[in-house]
Amino acid sequence: MVLEENGNVVSKRVCVIGAGPSGLVAARELRKEGHDVVVLEQKPDIGGQWLYDPNVEDEDPLGNPTRAQKVHSSIYANLRVFSPREIMGFTDFPFIPTKDGGGDSRRYPGHGEVLRYLRDFCERFGIRDMIRFNSKVEYVGMVNYTESGDVVVHEDLKWIVRSAIEEKQGVHNKVDQKAAAPVVAEEVFDAVVVASGHYSQPWLPTIKGMDVWKRKQMHSHVYRVPHPFKNEVVVIVGNSLSGQDISMALTSVAKEIHLSVKDLNVTEGLSKVIDKHENFYLHPMVESMHEDGRVLFIDGGWIIADTVIYATGYSYSFPFLDTKGIVSIDEDRVGPLYHHTFPPLLAPSLSFVGIPKMVLGFPFFESQAKWVAQLLSGKKKLPSTEEMMVYVQEFHRSRDSAGVPKRYTHSVVPYDGFEYCDQYADFSESPHTEDWMKKLLRSSYEGYLSDLENFRDSYDHDHDMLQLAYQSSYFTNFQL
């Protein structure tokens, strides 16, 4: 509940957009603070990225931003988590295997186990009753503002949210199998939390000739399984985690895999994989693509390829959000955002939970969500608008002077590391990341660097750290 200066107790009405991990924990923390919460989720279930969708046949293979996306998740069938499960869970709900032995009990489980965990989290904390499924947000805009040259935002800012709710008709015969026309809902909220994720809108490089290349091109967003590439020559552009995973999966079916990277000085682990497989080759960046199927690399080498897969990452996209230009995206830098969360002119009524990339699992977004909830309840206060703007400008200057490309503005690791995670915890007076968690993550990262193919299944060296972990209050205080 919110205690106003006159002593009246009120509750903020808050809309959370998205029921992935960041949206779910935001909803829980907001309700803890006494707010009235509505979560709008475009899919029929929770999970966000972790809600695996194999039906990509009708999706634009290159993710053309002018075409409506039907598939939100970019998860592929064989994906396993990069971090050990001990450090992934929320602070009061460890990500442990189920006692009945069901599911995926590995320390680095597949995506299905993560979805199971999120469903259990919803059940444990009664989150589903706040969620409206099949509700696609079409518009979010300010209600009380003045637009005359510069936008003037009123102190008691409110937001109008328009969503299209797809209602399924009863399926009793073949004629009655279509979905009913969406019902459009328009509501006013005191605050909006955008938690819609950032792994859905493909980012593509600009390569000479890619617009005239006649063979198959696709972004990793629509890659699911390796068998469609049987006996093909495949070029994978990008040395991301997904690019490496997909390359390894294709070694058993493709004729040749050619991985194109910015820097040929790859990790020891990737080098081992390339040396192991006779059909796996490493190349520098692609220089051009040609109508006859040739892919030319900047060192002059070339191959005739059947398919090019772009594992080149994703762009931030909020097509529903209308802030009259206050919030914009410049080369994938969302801004201005105070600590990746609040636009200074619109804070705290508009916030973003889940913008940072490369974070320490779900606890990072939990502490971010706690901060948002406490600010809306009045327990915490933000600096002045001017102070927040100065901070954002200095932060951008520091990134620029360090040579960090704009599109990596919101990559927390390796630029800020654990210190930034602990800073979020300070904002909401949450505990810092425990030492054993930091050690386990470092161990995982070292394993990835040295033994890419096996690090998820070879962890005898973590034995002592795991004993410390399981003796910590994080696990000993938890009751199923």
Side-chain angles (χ1 to χ4, degrees), residues 70-200:
K70 297 179 181 178
V71 176
H72 177 72
S73 174
S74 299
I75 295 289
Y76 39 92
N78 71 316
L79 183 142
R80 292 175 65 183
V81 298
F82 177 76
S83 301
R85 68 193 305 150
E86 295 86 12
I87 68 172
M88 283 187 64
F90 296 112
T91 57
D92 54 357
F93 195 69
F95 185 13
I96 59 176
T98 54
K99 285 188 174 181
D100 61 10
D104 182 351
S105 62
R106 295 174 296 180
R107 288 189 63 219
Y108 295 78
H111 57 81
E113 179 75 355
V114 181
L115 181 61
R116 180 204 63 77
Y117 168 78
L118 292 173
R119 286 172 173 164
D120 289 347
F121 177 74
C122 281
E123 180 70 21
R124 176 78 171 221
F125 296 100
I127 297 172
R128 278 188 180 268
D129 62 357
M130 292 185 277
I131 305 173
R132 295 182 194 166
F133 294 107
N134 300 308
S135 299
K136 183 177 178 61
V137 175
E138 295 184 336
Y139 178 81
V140 175
M142 297 174 285
V143 175
N144 43 353
Y145 71 97
T146 303
E147 191 169 9
S148 56
D150 292 334
V151 176
V152 178
V153 178
H154 295 280
E155 186 174 342
D156 186 26
L157 181 62
K158 296 188 184 300
W159 297 85
I160 187 166
V161 177
R162 184 163 61 241
S163 58
I165 306 167
E166 293 185 3
E167 295 183 351
K168 302 290 183 182
Q169 295 176 342
V171 181
H172 301 295
N173 52 57
K174 291 184 178 179
V175 178
D176 196 27
Q177 290 183 5
K178 286 187 176 181
V183 176
V184 177
E186 233 179 48
E187 301 168 89
V188 174
F189 293 89
D190 300 306
V192 171
V193 178
V194 179
S196 52
H198 49 72
Y199 292 112
S200 291

Side-chain angles (χ1 to χ4, degrees), residues 119-385:
R119 286 172 173 164
D120 289 347
F121 177 74
C122 281
E123 180 70 21
R124 176 78 171 221
F125 296 100
I127 297 172
R128 278 188 180 268
D129 62 357
M130 292 185 277
I131 305 173
R132 295 182 194 166
F133 294 107
N134 300 308
S135 299
K136 183 177 178 61
V137 175
E138 295 184 336
Y139 178 81
V140 175
M142 297 174 285
V143 175
N144 43 353
Y145 71 97
T146 303
E147 191 169 9
S148 56
D150 292 334
V151 176
V152 178
V153 178
H154 295 280
E155 186 174 342
D156 186 26
L157 181 62
K158 296 188 184 300
W159 297 85
I160 187 166
V161 177
R162 184 163 61 241
S163 58
I165 306 167
E166 293 185 3
E167 295 183 351
K168 302 290 183 182
Q169 295 176 342
V171 181
H172 301 295
N173 52 57
K174 291 184 178 179
V175 178
D176 196 27
Q177 290 183 5
K178 286 187 176 181
V183 176
V184 177
E186 233 179 48
E187 301 168 89
V188 174
F189 293 89
D190 300 306
V192 171
V193 178
V194 179
S196 52
H198 49 72
Y199 292 112
S200 291
Q201 181 56 58
W203 183 88
L204 292 172
T206 301
I207 299 174
K208 180 183 177 182
M210 65 186 293
D211 56 333
V212 298
W213 204 70
K214 301 299 184 183
R215 303 189 180 194
K216 184 165 59 177
Q217 297 183 74
M218 59 186 287
H219 191 275
S220 58
H221 169 67
V222 295
Y223 169 85
R224 291 297 181 268
V225 292
H227 64 77
F229 306 93
K230 185 176 178 62
N231 296 324
E232 287 192 356
V233 175
V234 182
V235 173
I236 297 178
V237 180
N239 192 22
S240 62
L241 294 175
S242 60
Q244 294 176 12
D245 271 356
I246 294 169
S247 296
M248 290 190 292
L250 293 183
T251 56
S252 62
V253 298
K255 181 180 179 180
E256 297 175 3
I257 303 99
H258 297 265
L259 180 62
S260 169
V261 301
K262 289 182 178 179
D263 186 351
L264 291 173
N265 294 314
V266 297
T267 65
E268 177 188 359
L270 180 56
S271 292
K272 288 178 180 177
V273 176
I274 295 170
D275 291 342
K276 176 181 177 181
H277 298 280
E278 293 183 353
N279 61 342
F280 196 170
Y281 304 89
L282 187 67
H283 298 273
M285 295 174 65
V286 176
E287 190 276 330
S288 60
M289 300 165 67
H290 302 267
E291 290 186 66
D292 61 1
R294 280 182 302 144
V295 176
L296 180 66
F297 302 100
I298 59 174
D299 63 354
W302 60 272
I303 51 109
I304 299 288
D306 298 296
T307 299
V308 175
I309 301 175
Y310 299 98
T312 47
Y314 299 86
S315 296
Y316 293 98
S317 179
F318 311 104
F320 52 82
L321 186 59
D322 178 11
T323 62
K324 307 304 176 187
I326 292 175
V327 178
S328 62
I329 303 175
D330 178 16
E331 296 181 34
D332 232 28
R333 173 181 284 174
V334 185
L337 289 184
Y338 181 66
H339 288 289
H340 309 282
T341 307
F342 292 103
L345 285 171
L346 305 173
S349 69
L350 178 65
S351 60
F352 295 79
V353 173
I355 288 284
K357 298 178 181 179
M358 302 174 69
V359 297
L360 297 175
F362 301 154
F364 188 98
F365 301 128
E366 181 179 1
S367 58
Q368 191 181 20
K370 286 178 179 178
W371 185 36
V372 171
Q374 291 171 6
L375 284 162
L376 289 173
S377 71
K379 284 185 178 178
K380 302 293 181 185
K381 297 293 183 185
L382 286 168
S384 68
T385 299

Side-chain angles (χ1 to χ4, degrees), residues 3-22:
L3 184 63
E4 294 183 325
E5 289 184 1
N6 60 10
N8 294 327
V9 176
V10 297
S11 176
K12 296 275 188 181
R13 189 160 190 260
V14 186
C15 176
V16 176
I17 301 173
S22 56

